[in-house]
Every structure is written in C-alpha cells, then in structure tokens.
Amino acid sequence: MSTVIAMPEGGFRLYTKGASEIVLKKCSWMLSADGTPQRFSHHDAEAMVANVIEPMASDGLRTICMAYKDFVKGDPAVNEETMAVEPDWEDETNIVSNLTCICVVGIEDPVRPEVPLSIKKCQRSGICVRMVTGDNINTARSIATKCGIIKPNSDFLVLEGREFNKRIRDETGEHRKGEPAPVNQELLDKIWPNLRVLARSSPQDKYTLVKGIIDSRLTSNREVVAVTGDGTNDGPALKKADVGFAMGIAGTDVAKEASDIILTDDNFSSIVKAVMWGRNVYDSIAKFLQFQLTVNVVAVIVAFLGACAIKDSPLKAIQMLWVNLIMDTLASLALATELPSEELLNRKPYGRTKPLISKTMAKNIVGHSIYQLALIFWILFAGEKFFDIDSGRAATLHASPSQHFTIIFNVFVMLTLFNEVNARKIHGQRNVFAGLHRNPVFVVIWLGTFASQIIIIEFGSYAFATSPLEPDQWMWCIFFGVGGLLWGQLVTCIPTHRLPHSFSW
C-alpha cells in the first residue's frame, strides 16, 4: 500500500507499507537509530528476516515493513532520487524501488477466547477446518496452533501459495505462455486431505482449493464445502462454495452478495450454532417422520384387518380424526420445537445421499409397530376375557359404544403418546427423556393431549363412540402405553449394523 505526498520544496515523498519480506527486498537503505540512512544490502535483508521477522512471526505477530522514497529537484541525498519532471506513478517497478526502510513492526491480532473451543467442536462433529490466509507462513502456523487447527506432532500440511501451486499444477500440460499451468485434479487430491494451513495465498488460490475439494472424488460422498470471507476478493470462493459465510460487520458488499449466510457478529462460534440448528432441523423432520409412519402403519393395518375380520373397524372415523390431530398437528409442534443441544455435535455429518429414513429409524418404526399391533389385536380378540367385559365384536351397527372398543381406542392413543417420547431420539439413544426439561412445549402438548383423552373417554359418549372406563381399566391402558417405552429399550438392543442395507428408505 503506497501513498504519495507533495513536499513544500517541490518534490514528492512516497510512503509504502506491506508484508515485511516483500517490502524489504525493495529497500536499499535503512534508517539508523539517529535517523541517518545506511546501506541495506540483500545480505542485510536476509539477516533481518532470519533474526527479526521470523521470530516475530513465530510468536503469531503479523510483521509489516514501513518504508519511504524521496523524489527531489536538484542535488539528491544518498537515499533520494532526482527528478526533472513528475515521475510516472503508474510505473510501479521503478517507483517502488531503492526504498529507505523506516522500521518493521509486529502487530498481534489476538485469537478470540471462544475460537479454539468452537474449532474443537467443529472437529468433534466431523467438520475439517482449514485456514487460508495471506499472512507469513510462520504467523499462520502459530495462529493455527493457537486455534487448534493444527496440533504438535501431527501429520498435517502447512504450505505457502507458491508451493501449493507448484504441487497442483501440471507443468507438462498445454497452456498459453505467460499463463499458469492448468490444475491437475489428481495432484490436488494428494494434497487437500492433509492440508490445514495455506499461507501467503492469493484469492485465486482460495478459489482453486474450494473448487478442487468440491470436484474431488476421493470419498464416496462429495465433500460439502463452507467458506468464510469478508473481502471483495473472497467473492469467487464464497460463490463457488456450497455454503458461503460473509462477515456482517467487516464484510464488503461484494462478499455479502456472494454469500449464503451473513454472520452479524463476525464470530466463528456463530458457524457452530448454524451447524447445530441445521442438524436440529433435519433431526426434527426425521423425528416426526418416525412417529407419523409408526402411527400410520398401525392405524391402517388395524382398520383394514379389523374390518375384514369382524366386519367393522375397531377404530371409528371420529376416533381416527382425533388420532390424526395428535399425529399431524400436536406431535409436529411437540417434536419440531426441540432446541439444539451439544449432543448434535457428537456425530459425523449426514452424507448428501443418505436415506431420509435411516436403518435405525426403520428398525424403530417396524419394532414399535409390531408391539402395538400385537397388543391391539390381542385386546380385540381376547380382551373381553382379560378385562371381564362384554365383547364389542358382536355389537350391532347402532348399538351403544362398548367398553371393549373404547379400551382398544384408549390403548392405541396411549401407545401413540408414549411412542411420541420414544420418537424424540432417532440415533439409537437409550435415554429418551434426555433434554426433555429443555422443551416445555413438548411437555405441555403431551400433558394437554393426555388430559384431552381422559375427557374424550369419560364424556365423549356417542360423539366419540366411547364408553367411560373403570379406574383399573385406565391403569391397564396406561401400563400398556408405558410398556412401549420398555419395548423401545429392547428394540434399541438390536444391532443396526446387522440389518440389510435395503432396510432404509
């Protein structure tokens, strides 16, 4: 970055600052402690890089060199350049040369306290974090170590942009003279899995890395790439990525336009929250599907086989409407209002081609359907003996509602309610009550549905085709419902990995 100032004597002074290694190469003089210019050779520049810049960079400091050059009329000093006319400021090669170094400063951009923890959470959840920066490689390595991107004694790659391009470009391929050689995907595939830090990189290097990972076929599922950026030059990489995160405070308008998500607080921890909420939305859909399909399978089979066996459906139309209300409206609200938790970060990401209904979910759907169907058909054909009541199978079309069929309806609803608790977990977790206290909406809806069922059974009469039940009958209905929780523990014991691959949809 350079600035030109006109001096009162009629000359000009050029101030420039930038990456210390680059600016020092263009310096021929250096100011001493008393302000007098001294010769600064190439050997002096190498010694300064080794003794000053690299130690500062290793401590995580960004080193910047500040230099100047005077253009004067008349007799120039040793570090000045004479001019007859105003210099051609467009000729950068000649203008920015023979500079006088003022100083080299180290600037520390301290790592936010939450960043290492956020990166650790990302790594735990199966997300690989890579750092692409224009900083000195030693500075980048130091910052990456502080953040936890790289760990001591780990087999990870830390490259500069120049070395990165040297390794991935096919120099033997056909390309126009003066243009970079084309990127060889096979060469890139050897680098990106272990690459963690890319220093002294250009915006094109960032775009090349993003495109290379997306186009790679090393893994069975295509990699999903998310990119963060705040500058105008980050636009191509943000647009190419599957998900682009732009900074809301420091980000430019170009970066925001090219991105998909804008972080209003410019904080890396917000990315972790986005991951948690994204997985939570997916899991909420899966929970509702698991619950709804179980209810649908049981309801359809009971209605169909019941009608075939006894010429009448054990579940009346109005009762099915109430079950549908539980299933479609109240359950969706209860299961979809689960707040995200840290538990979501303890598993790997879903693949792009992963079935919506996993083998674990299919196992739960089939397992709970078997339990519910066996129990309902047992009550249908032998329940009158167990409860010592009149059979409802021989009732006429316009007969009063029977306790027999009321128990079937009540048991079905109890099974549905307690299976709603089971449906909160879709990854084979045993503790289905974990996190229940964080979802008051679920608790309120569940208790409200349970209370409504009591009112329907006791006071529904002809409207809901129900007959009031005795306390002991109520206890048995609730016991059968609680049995669904215990049955769920048995279903969980079935090894999912032994199920056939076709057991998912």
Side-chain angles (χ1 to χ4, degrees), residues 174-181:
E174 295 183 1
H175 61 283
R176 293 182 181 178
K177 189 175 181 180
E179 293 185 358

Side-chain angles (χ1 to χ4, degrees), residues 60 118 122 138 177 248 257 271 292 347 375 408:
S118 299
C122 284
N138 293 321
K177 189 175 181 180
E257 287 290 335
I271 297 178
Q292 188 179 42
R347 58 175 174 80
L375 187 58
I408 293 176

Side-chain angles (χ1 to χ4, degrees), residues 117-172:
L117 179 60
S118 299
I119 291 178
K120 186 177 180 180
K121 290 179 179 178
C122 284
Q123 293 169 339
R124 191 176 79 225
S125 64
I127 299 173
C128 177
V129 181
R130 294 181 173 87
M131 179 179 175
V132 182
T133 177
D135 290 335
N136 175 290
I137 189 169
N138 293 321
T139 305
R141 184 187 288 110
S142 176
I143 295 174
T145 303
K146 292 178 181 178
C147 293
I149 296 176
I150 58 176
K151 297 178 176 61
N153 303 320
S154 56
D155 187 21
F156 293 141
L157 281 177
V158 179
L159 297 177
E160 285 187 327
R162 182 174 52 193
E163 178 67 18
F164 173 72
N165 281 281
K166 185 178 178 181
R167 292 194 184 190
I168 67 171
R169 296 191 181 274
D170 187 3
E171 297 293 344
T172 61

Side-chain angles (χ1 to χ4, degrees), residues 112 206 225-271 274:
R112 292 183 179 182
K206 191 172 185 178
V225 180
V227 172
T228 63
D230 56 6
T232 301
N233 292 332
D234 294 323
L238 288 169
K239 200 164 188 66
K240 180 63 178 176
D242 295 292
V243 183
F245 290 91
M247 305 300 150
I249 300 174
T252 62
D253 291 338
V254 174
K256 294 176 184 177
E257 287 290 335
S259 64
D260 303 291
I261 299 173
I262 298 176
L263 304 179
T264 57
D265 56 357
D266 288 13
N267 199 322
F268 190 86
S269 62
S270 297
I271 297 178

Side-chain angles (χ1 to χ4, degrees), residues 20-21 24 47-66 103-109 135-143 146:
S20 52
E21 307 98 308
L24 279 178
M48 192 165 186
V49 169
N51 300 326
V52 178
I53 295 175
E54 288 187 359
M56 294 173 73
S58 298
D59 290 335
L61 300 178
R62 290 185 170 96
T63 56
I64 298 176
C65 178
M66 291 184 282
C103 65
V104 174
V105 297
I107 301 176
E108 182 180 13
D109 187 5
D135 290 335
N136 175 290
I137 189 169
N138 293 321
T139 305
R141 184 187 288 110
S142 176
I143 295 174
K146 292 178 181 178

Side-chain angles (χ1 to χ4, degrees), residues 221-494:
N221 293 319
R222 182 177 79 75
E223 297 288 326
V224 178
V225 180
V227 172
T228 63
D230 56 6
T232 301
N233 292 332
D234 294 323
L238 288 169
K239 200 164 188 66
K240 180 63 178 176
D242 295 292
V243 183
F245 290 91
M247 305 300 150
I249 300 174
T252 62
D253 291 338
V254 174
K256 294 176 184 177
E257 287 290 335
S259 64
D260 303 291
I261 299 173
I262 298 176
L263 304 179
T264 57
D265 56 357
D266 288 13
N267 199 322
F268 190 86
S269 62
S270 297
I271 297 178
V272 179
K273 294 179 182 177
V275 172
M276 289 173 58
W277 277 101
R279 293 185 176 188
N280 188 64
V281 170
Y282 188 99
D283 281 4
S284 295
I285 296 172
K287 291 172 187 176
F288 178 62
L289 272 178
Q290 177 177 290
F291 172 76
Q292 188 179 42
L293 289 175
T294 305
V295 178
N296 277 336
V297 167
V298 175
V300 169
I301 293 178
V302 168
F304 178 75
L305 295 183
C308 294
I310 62 174
K311 310 302 182 186
D312 187 19
S313 174
L315 299 174
K316 307 304 179 185
I318 189 65
Q319 295 172 353
M320 291 296 293
L321 287 174
W322 167 237
V323 171
N324 279 330
L325 179 63
I326 299 174
M327 178 177 63
D328 292 334
T329 306
L330 300 179
S332 63
L333 287 173
L335 294 172
T337 52
E338 189 90 28
L339 294 176
S341 64
E342 294 284 339
E343 182 187 2
L344 293 168
L345 300 176
N346 294 333
R347 58 175 174 80
K348 302 299 181 183
Y350 289 128
R352 297 175 68 90
T353 58
K354 179 187 179 297
L356 183 59
I357 300 176
S358 64
K359 289 198 289 186
T360 302
M361 292 170 60
K363 177 184 70 175
N364 293 336
I365 292 170
V366 174
H368 287 287
S369 297
I370 291 172
Y371 170 75
Q372 295 183 21
L373 287 170
L375 187 58
I376 290 174
F377 279 116
W378 172 75
I379 297 175
L380 176 61
F381 293 106
E384 70 275 11
K385 297 178 181 179
F386 180 82
F387 291 101
D388 193 20
I389 54 177
D390 294 332
S391 174
R393 296 191 301 275
T396 59
L397 182 62
H398 299 289
S400 301
S402 65
Q403 282 190 327
H404 187 193
F405 280 14
T406 301
I407 291 175
I408 293 176
F409 168 57
N410 199 33
V411 167
F412 181 44
V413 172
M414 291 297 113
L415 291 170
T416 301
L417 277 176
F418 284 96
N419 189 45
E420 192 175 334
V421 179
N422 281 320
R424 293 181 63 251
K425 304 298 179 182
I426 57 173
H427 299 291
Q429 301 97 321
R430 288 197 172 276
N431 187 3
V432 295
F433 297 101
L436 190 60
H437 62 282
R438 297 195 306 269
N439 192 359
V441 176
F442 182 95
V443 177
V444 171
I445 290 177
W446 196 93
L447 293 176
T449 307
F450 191 92
S452 300
Q453 179 66 14
I454 295 175
I455 295 173
I456 289 173
I457 294 297
E458 296 300 319
F459 306 103
S461 188
Y462 283 97
F464 282 89
T466 59
S467 177
L469 301 180
E470 301 297 330
D472 62 320
Q473 295 171 340
W474 266 106
M475 293 303 297
W476 277 111
C477 292
I478 296 174
F479 173 77
F480 292 142
V482 174
L485 297 176
L486 302 177
W487 180 262
Q489 298 299 310
L490 295 177
V491 173
T492 305
C493 293
I494 300 175

